[in-house]
Amino acid sequence: MLAPLKTLEQILARLAETMDSLPITRSEGFVSLVLELPQALAIAPEIPGPQFQFAHNHRGEVRAGYGIAGEWTAQGEARLQTLRTHAKRVSAHWEHLDPDETGFAGFAMLGFASSPVPDAPTEPDTLPNALLWLPELALSSRAGQAAVILSTALPVAREEVFARWKARLEQVIPRLNQPALDPLTPARLDQGPTEPDAARWQDLVLSALEQIEQAHLEKVVVCRRLRLKGHRRFDLTRLNAALAYLFPSCQVVTIRRHATSFVAATPERLFTQQHDRIEVDAIAGTVCRAASADRDAELTSALRTSHKNLHEHMVVVDAVTDALGHCSRHVEPPDGPRVMQLNNAQHLWSLVRAELDPGMDVFQLAELLHPTPATNGHPCELARAWLQRSEPIRRGWYTGAAGIIAPDLTGELWVLLRCAEIHDSTADLYAGAGIVAGSDPDSEWQETEHKLAAMSTALQFA
């Protein structure tokens, strides 16, 4: 294994060797240079400035981006169409050089809030409603291989881009694969306000059940926000490591553009698209875990046979299948439901696969599949309208989606669940529960408690 400084020397030497081959005098577009790293990555380092990270422990994958080579924002009902227009223009004028023949390529991040219409004017320290982000330096690691990817807008002077890339590499490369941080003693977190509180939650769920009883809605998902205050600044590197350890089958997402970071440990893909194939997670129906193996098995069995949970799950499966029917040549029968067991909860989970119509891309698929009944409700528009009238908090990016977009506009998006907005030593946590006929307000409150515990447990070690 090369020492970090030796790795930096080799990468800088390789950069100098390849600079003359870059088409940096072109009048428009972007160019990305892919250089091999000597070993796979377990986690991407945190450094000052804008950055994002998607890390999945079980899949052994890390994607991260630092700085901004290009960015585009949008809001409103046409937000994804607007970003798709920008992405198609980038894709048409984006050249990749891979002199080490790594097989990796540049990528962008796509992310967006739960609602296309902001609940309030965007604050300077928050994420925009929808964002397409091409990083200046990216890290990609999978299947035991890794690469660093440097990108720039064109045209650009050779000396200028070399200096910028060199500075980025000097920030990031020495921090790669640093020894694991010693675990901190679990810190006490002070609980602040929760919105809605228990009494307001009771009223909210009963109001939702009234809508369901009157057949206006079949399902609606209501959420809570809980504020926690630490006694030290939360360390994102430690937090990401804790989430990866506690929830190895989840995608750990970290996005920071200003002083506030958005962090999620989500079990649910909105979809994965590879060429003309798509795979979608349908997750709904939840019970907690138990310390006793016998009791845990009882809970799993009860989840598999619960009429309420099976109904909630099938609402999501049917909605996903119907959405894919509008963009696919063939939709396979759902595979499931199985039970997905996480550290603190277990869910009913089905996989829905399809063969897509020609020309489909992530933006079109996101339009069709977001929001799912698992995070919004059914019928979709009626549920969204009811939530906008009734829910007392602003969700922001909670229950939105984010992921990685390839140059051909395929990729993978994840539903943003088990989330926190973090600023210094303050964290606002989000969790929700699906309300269907037979739901009980107290049981649904307890479900959100289990979901909130995912992030609050990890924050104790950050």
Side-chain angles (χ1 to χ4, degrees), residues 29 58 100 119 146 165 173 182 198 204 215 250 263 281 287 294 318-319 328-329 371 373 384 413 422:
H58 272 180
D100 298 331
D119 301 304
W165 285 353
I173 299 300
D182 292 334
L204 188 64
C250 291
V263 181
D281 287 333
V287 297
D294 289 342
D318 291 344
S328 302
R329 289 175 281 189
R384 187 165 75 173
L413 296 182
I422 298 172

Side-chain angles (χ1 to χ4, degrees), residues 196-208:
D197 61 17
R200 183 81 181 275
W201 174 267
Q202 187 96 1
D203 292 341
L204 188 64
V205 173
L206 291 175
S207 177

Side-chain angles (χ1 to χ4, degrees), residues 70-82:
E71 65 171 351
W72 302 266
T73 63
Q75 64 179 35
E77 296 294 339
R79 60 183 179 170
L80 291 178
Q81 296 97 306
T82 299

Side-chain angles (χ1 to χ4, degrees), residues 68-219:
I68 300 170
E71 65 171 351
W72 302 266
T73 63
Q75 64 179 35
E77 296 294 339
R79 60 183 179 170
L80 291 178
Q81 296 97 306
T82 299
L83 293 183
R84 180 174 185 260
T85 299
H86 291 300
K88 290 180 71 175
R89 187 178 301 117
V90 170
S91 179
H93 302 280
W94 188 0
E95 187 165 344
H96 291 76
L97 283 81
D98 184 12
D100 298 331
E101 299 182 350
T102 66
F104 289 96
F107 55 83
M109 189 210 81
L110 172 65
F112 50 87
S114 60
S115 171
V117 181
D119 301 304
T122 302
E123 299 173 9
D125 196 30
T126 60
L127 292 168
N129 185 264
L131 171 65
L132 178 65
W133 176 356
L134 176 61
E136 184 173 52
L137 184 150
L139 299 172
S140 188
S141 181
R142 67 174 184 272
Q145 295 181 296
V148 59
I149 304 155
L150 300 160
S151 300
T152 186
L154 301 176
V156 64
R158 198 172 306 276
E159 297 77 11
E160 176 193 340
V161 71
F162 180 82
R164 285 208 322 265
W165 285 353
K166 180 174 180 291
R168 284 283 176 204
L169 291 166
E170 289 172 343
Q171 276 187 307
V172 174
I173 299 300
R175 292 177 169 86
L176 296 182
N177 289 324
Q178 292 286 319
L181 296 170
D182 292 334
L184 294 172
T185 302
R188 180 173 61 86
L189 303 178
D190 296 330
Q191 183 168 317
T194 181
E195 297 182 79
D197 61 17
R200 183 81 181 275
W201 174 267
Q202 187 96 1
D203 292 341
L204 188 64
V205 173
L206 291 175
S207 177
L209 288 170
E210 183 179 352
Q211 292 292 308
I212 292 166
E213 184 178 352
Q214 295 174 0
H216 299 312
L217 298 172
E218 189 172 1
K219 174 183 177 178

Side-chain angles (χ1 to χ4, degrees), residues 272-327:
T272 299
Q273 181 195 8
Q274 293 182 324
H275 306 297
D276 65 347
R277 299 290 300 174
I278 187 171
E279 188 171 273
V280 180
D281 287 333
I283 298 176
T286 302
V287 297
C288 64
R289 301 299 303 270
S292 158
D294 289 342
R295 177 56 181 154
D296 202 49
E298 290 175 4
L299 291 170
T300 302
S301 178
L303 177 62
R304 291 183 188 274
T305 56
S306 164
H307 174 75
K308 179 260 181 187
N309 281 304
L310 287 168
H311 171 64
E312 181 182 349
H313 183 75
M314 287 311 301
V315 170
V316 177
V317 171
D318 291 344
V320 169
T321 302
D322 180 66
L324 291 179
H326 290 85
C327 63

